[in-house]
Amino acid sequence: MTTNTSPLTGASANTGKFAGHASSRPSHGLQLTRNDNGSVTLALNQPLTLQADELEELVTSLAGLRADMDPPYPLDCPPLSALEPSYSPRHWVACDPLTGKILLFLRHHLFGWLGIVQTPETALDMLKSVAVEMKNLELSDRDPRRDLH
């Protein structure tokens, strides 16, 4: 069993496959217990009042905890109806000359800035996928049947 400390919150969480009933105390007085069945129990010892930045730290800490749980996030995208899309998000792209990777940051309206690091090849694959979808939209705009809906 290992103990990881969140750089954002100072919260610690016991991790590992056999971390049953391990307790830790994340920031803001939140008591966290990993259960043998893979679930997590969160308990508050007192009322919790948070500023926006403190809530963001707690959400980030909980997201890190979720990433370590089973089942893992699915590899395939869920149905679009199950997603909370962010329409026309702000974005930032850069090349990291030290690693040769492409840095992509998207600002989601619920989760804030999400960072993605890609190889140039996977970034190009993403661009190709976007181009295919743009072409599909262009073709559907030309389809005379589109006015029949």
Side-chain angles (χ1 to χ4, degrees):
M1 178 176 5
T2 60
T3 300
N4 294 335
T5 301
S6 166
L8 296 175
T9 63
S12 61
N14 293 313
T15 59
K17 286 271 188 209
F18 305 104
H21 295 291
S23 277
S24 64
R25 204 175 276 286
S27 61
H28 312 298
L30 189 64
Q31 180 71 32
L32 176 137
T33 305
R34 288 180 174 263
N35 303 310
D36 288 332
N37 66 0
S39 67
V40 174
T41 301
L42 302 173
L44 281 174
N45 298 329
Q46 59 193 22
L48 185 60
T49 303
L50 301 172
Q51 298 296 324
D53 59 336
E54 294 170 317
L55 183 58
E56 185 173 349
E57 288 176 3
L58 185 56
V59 167
T60 300
S61 181
L62 292 174
L65 178 64
R66 169 59 185 101
D68 190 44
M69 293 178 73
D70 284 325
Y73 286 111
L75 292 178
D76 295 327
C77 187
L80 293 179
S81 61
L83 296 175
E84 178 69 39
S86 188
Y87 293 93
S88 301
R90 293 187 67 178
H91 66 279
W92 179 76
V93 181
C95 177
D96 182 353
L98 294 177
T99 63
K101 307 284 184 181
I102 304 299
L103 309 175
L104 169 64
F105 292 89
L106 299 171
R107 188 180 179 281
H108 192 276
H109 66 285
L110 295 178
F111 304 110
W113 286 98
L114 304 172
I116 300 165
V117 179
Q118 297 180 306
T119 65
E121 295 79 18
T122 57
L124 187 57
D125 286 344
M126 183 174 19
L127 284 174
K128 288 177 183 176
S129 297
V130 170
V132 166
E133 292 306 315
M134 289 176 69
K135 187 68 171 174
N136 289 339
L137 282 175
E138 180 183 310
L139 293 174
S140 69
D141 285 346
R142 293 181 189 166
D143 186 348
R145 295 173 290 174
R146 73 179 173 92
D147 294 328
L148 299 176
H149 296 118

